[in-house]
Amino acid sequence: MRVFKFGGASIKDAAGIRNVHDLLEKVGYEDVLLVVSAMGKTTNALEVVIKDYFDKSPALKSSVQEVKKYHNEIIMDLFEDEKQEVFGAVNKLFADLEYFLENNKSPNYNFVYDQVVSYGELISTTILAYYMNFKAIDTQWIDVRHFIKTNANYRDAEVDWEATQYNISKNIKRKKLNITQGFLGSDDNNFTTTLGREGSDYTAAIFAYCLNAASVTIWKDVPGVMNADPRYFENASLLNQISYREAIELAFYGATVIHPKTLQPLQKKEIPLYVKSFINPLLKGTSVSKGTALEPYLPCFIVKRKQLLISLSSIDFSFIMEENISEIFSLFHQYKLKVNLIQNSAISFSVCVEDKFDNFTEMNTILSKKFKVDFTDNVTLYTIRHFNDAAAETVESGKKVILKQVSKETMQIITSED
């Protein structure tokens, strides 16, 4: 089988849905499993629903209605005589969502988040499956929560590989088009879990691993993996080939085209990953597979904005030893701050972190009891793989550099907006 992943940008409207159908007609759809994200910015819209829910806002009903209106307009555009049936299926999902919001008793934000945002993927795949059947492509809609089993670490669940392998290998029907949801799983109590933001790529890799798939293709609005984000760098170039190892390095440093967890299961079975354009699906794109590390061999630039640079020093000028560092990292883990750079000396320790859950203020209260804490927020971290002098100059020119760290293959530069 081949596994295809389509993100929200590819199905943001009725034209996007039609384009997926046309793409499948060109590249084939037998023995194919589609892993699909929520449509457009639906996840963001459902996050507004969650905020209104916890704020007990009177806007809750209207924020749900906005999500419903968006999807209903797409259905109206797509279908002719078949609207009633697909409307019924989608309205049932919205009724389930509204029932949960009215009857949930759990105060756990992460639990509620996973139960609510999951409707984005459930609705998008329902509409897509109905459309494919409407266009005479024999399609099976699959609820991924019956296949991918996880622990109960809501918003960042870990996969139970043994149970997941059994479910997928025994129950996927081949020789037809299968459509399922990215990002989602379920725990032992059958409550919905999510695999982390952008986890749909990971979902595709999980299915590919369990099915011994021939390949995974991630369909995007770019021609493949570029050596730099075109939004920040002029003259970004397409990378034709990347080895698994190099791709994992790029993902580790924050390259957004490939999710960090996606590559490991694929590497284990040497399943090639392709990143291709859903606009021009017959173009070759980028291959991530066993082989040449990088072709062409170019500096690769990764940008992470809105980072937090934290500098810790001992209050009494004593050395920062292993036990101190262990305690610091334990707090980072506890408060879910992702560390992207580390630099230390005898009496100081600096880290660049991503505080996506806004937990630093609370953690700082604990750190300040033992360390002198200085921090600079809203810094930008640039990582250059296979750097050279010209690449470094490209990043540093016109910016205030506040920290630089260089290893054999990688240069990291932190700049401030001041």
Side-chain angles (χ1 to χ4, degrees):
M1 292 188 77
R2 292 175 294 161
V3 177
F4 292 171
K5 181 261 178 174
F6 288 93
S10 66
I11 53 163
K12 65 183 179 181
D13 51 26
I17 297 284
R18 291 190 182 98
N19 184 65
V20 171
H21 169 266
D22 294 345
L23 182 154
L24 292 172
E25 291 282 4
K26 292 174 184 175
V27 303
Y29 50 80
E30 284 193 357
D31 291 328
V32 168
L33 183 140
L34 301 190
V35 173
V36 182
S37 300
M39 291 177 162
K41 301 294 183 182
T42 298
T43 300
N44 293 340
L46 288 168
E47 286 172 346
V48 173
V49 170
I50 296 165
K51 182 179 185 301
D52 290 343
Y53 172 78
F54 278 102
D55 290 347
K56 295 180 169 52
S57 169
L60 176 60
K61 285 188 176 180
S62 63
S63 58
V64 173
Q65 188 60 35
E66 279 298 308
V67 181
K68 188 182 292 188
K69 178 184 175 185
Y70 169 66
H71 289 90
N72 284 347
E73 287 175 352
I74 292 173
I75 293 171
M76 290 292 290
D77 195 337
L78 284 175
F79 295 91
E80 297 167 9
D81 300 332
E82 313 291 329
K83 284 197 289 288
Q84 198 63 40
E85 191 175 353
V86 66
F87 267 131
V90 170
N91 285 338
K92 169 67 166 60
L93 289 168
F94 276 111
D96 291 344
L97 169 60
E98 289 165 341
Y99 181 86
F100 173 81
L101 293 170
E102 290 170 5
N103 293 280
N104 170 62
K105 299 292 189 275
S106 173
N108 182 335
Y109 178 89
N110 291 337
F111 169 78
V112 172
Y113 183 97
D114 281 7
Q115 310 319 301
V116 173
V117 298
S118 61
Y119 282 93
E121 280 74 12
L122 294 169
I123 293 164
S124 68
T125 52
T126 297
I127 295 171
L128 184 60
Y130 269 95
Y131 185 72
M132 292 302 161
N133 281 313
F134 173 61
K135 299 296 285 187
I137 295 178
D138 186 17
T139 302
Q140 175 175 256
W141 182 88
I142 295 167
D143 188 336
V144 73
R145 298 171 297 179
H146 298 158
F147 292 83
I148 295 181
K149 303 301 291 186
T150 73
N151 64 6
N153 186 19
Y154 299 108
R155 296 188 73 186
D156 196 18
E158 295 178 9
V159 174
D160 178 340
W161 281 96
E162 184 177 352
T164 299
Q165 171 77 72
Y166 179 84
N167 293 339
I168 291 174
S169 61
K170 296 292 184 184
N171 296 297
I172 293 294
K173 296 177 182 176
R174 300 171 187 252
K175 301 298 180 187
K176 61 167 56 183
L177 178 65
N178 294 272
I179 295 180
T180 196
Q181 306 77 39
F183 185 45
L184 310 181
S186 68
D187 63 18
D188 287 343
N189 293 313
N190 294 320
F191 288 117
T192 304
T193 57
T194 62
L195 305 177
R197 196 71 188 265
E198 308 301 334
S200 293
D201 292 0
Y202 186 37
T203 304
I206 293 167
F207 273 97
Y209 179 91
C210 295
L211 291 167
N212 293 313
S215 64
V216 173
T217 303
I218 298 174
W219 296 98
K220 300 185 73 70
D221 57 358
V222 292
V225 179
M226 314 296 283
N227 76 319
D229 189 329
R231 293 175 297 175
Y232 306 129
F233 295 90
E234 295 180 2
N235 304 317
S237 298
L238 177 68
L239 300 172
N240 301 318
Q241 158 72 24
I242 311 174
S243 68
Y244 293 116
R245 183 181 182 86
E246 183 63 32
I248 288 170
E249 289 279 3
L250 292 171
F252 172 79
Y253 287 112
T256 56
V257 174
I258 304 168
H259 191 278
K261 294 184 290 190
T262 299
L263 297 160
Q264 290 157 343
L266 299 180
Q267 183 185 26
K268 286 180 182 177
K269 291 191 175 180
E270 296 187 1
I271 298 169
L273 168 70
Y274 300 101
V275 181
K276 303 178 88 172
S277 167
F278 61 72
I279 300 166
N280 297 295
L282 299 182
L283 294 180
K284 192 173 181 181
T286 301
S287 169
V288 181
S289 58
K290 186 178 181 181
T292 306
L294 204 61
E295 202 288 304
Y297 190 84
L298 296 169
C300 295
F301 300 85
I302 300 156
V303 184
K304 293 184 77 68
R305 298 188 179 277
K306 296 183 179 179
Q307 303 289 289
L308 179 66
L309 179 62
I310 307 169
S311 296
L312 308 173
S313 55
S314 51
I315 296 172
D316 59 0
F317 293 98
S318 61
F319 293 157
I320 292 186
M321 304 296 286
E322 287 83 355
E323 61 267 25
N324 305 121
I325 294 173
S326 175
E327 181 182 2
I328 293 165
F329 271 90
S330 178
L331 286 170
F332 287 148
H333 176 73
Q334 180 182 342
Y335 286 93
K336 298 184 178 180
L337 272 71
K338 184 180 183 300
V339 177
N340 293 315
L341 178 146
I342 304 167
Q343 192 173 86
N344 66 293
S345 67
I347 60 172
S348 68
F349 182 79
S350 297
V351 287
C352 184
V353 302
E354 191 169 338
D355 182 22
K356 67 178 180 178
F357 298 113
D358 296 322
N359 288 334
F360 173 68
T361 301
E362 185 178 349
M363 190 186 80
N364 190 27
T365 304
I366 300 171
L367 280 175
S368 299
K369 294 176 182 178
K370 289 194 174 183
F371 303 97
K372 181 179 183 295
V373 182
D374 294 310
F375 64 91
T376 307
D377 59 8
N378 201 29
V379 301
T380 300
L381 172 63
Y382 294 89
T383 301
I384 313 173
R385 287 280 296 165
H386 315 297
F387 66 91
N388 54 32
D389 291 343
E393 173 61 23
T394 297
V395 168
E396 294 178 19
S397 179
K399 302 181 183 71
K400 181 181 177 182
V401 177
I402 55 178
L403 189 149
K404 182 191 288 189
Q405 184 160 278
V406 180
S407 63
K408 182 180 178 182
E409 291 283 350
T410 305
M411 175 183 289
Q412 291 187 283
I413 300 167
I414 296 177
T415 67
S416 72
E417 301 300 320
D418 298 335

